[in-house]
């Protein structure tokens, strides 16, 4: 699976991706100002299921949850 992150702001977006269920380590993600980037997420160890939370290191109100079988 590939996660795509888009930043429409004028500063770098400092994000954290956390695996809530399957043991993958926290992954920091830096998205450039007015840009986007992609991060692969390997699902083999979780039998192609995922349960992820994406949060902002700079905005405590930002949280996006992704979970389901792939």
């Amino acid at each position: 699976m590939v996660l795509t992150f888009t930043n429409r702001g004028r500063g770098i977006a400092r994000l954290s991706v956390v695996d809530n269920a399957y043991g993958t380590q926290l992954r920091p993600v830096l998205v450039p100002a007015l840009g986007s980037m992609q991060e692969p997420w390997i699902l083999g160890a979780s039998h192609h299921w995922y349960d992820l939370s994406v949060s902002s290191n700079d905005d405590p109100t930002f949280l996006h949850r992704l979970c389901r079988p792939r």
Side-chain angles (χ1 to χ4, degrees):
M1 174 171 77
V2 176
L3 302 174
T4 300
F5 301 91
T6 301
N7 178 5
R8 293 186 177 97
R10 298 198 179 271
I12 294 173
R14 298 180 317 126
L15 306 173
S16 295
V17 182
V18 174
D19 180 342
N20 298 308
Y22 300 103
T24 302
Q25 292 184 336
L26 177 142
R27 187 179 304 180
V29 177
L30 298 175
V31 186
L34 302 173
S36 64
M37 64 173 299
Q38 294 185 325
E39 285 281 323
W41 198 274
I42 306 303
L43 299 174
S46 65
H47 305 286
H48 300 280
W49 284 75
Y50 57 93
D51 181 356
L52 307 174
S53 292
V54 180
S55 60
S56 169
N57 298 358
D58 301 310
D59 179 357
T61 66
F62 179 85
L63 175 65
H64 190 79
R65 185 104 183 249
L66 307 142
C67 54
R68 66 177 54 172
R70 171 89 168 112

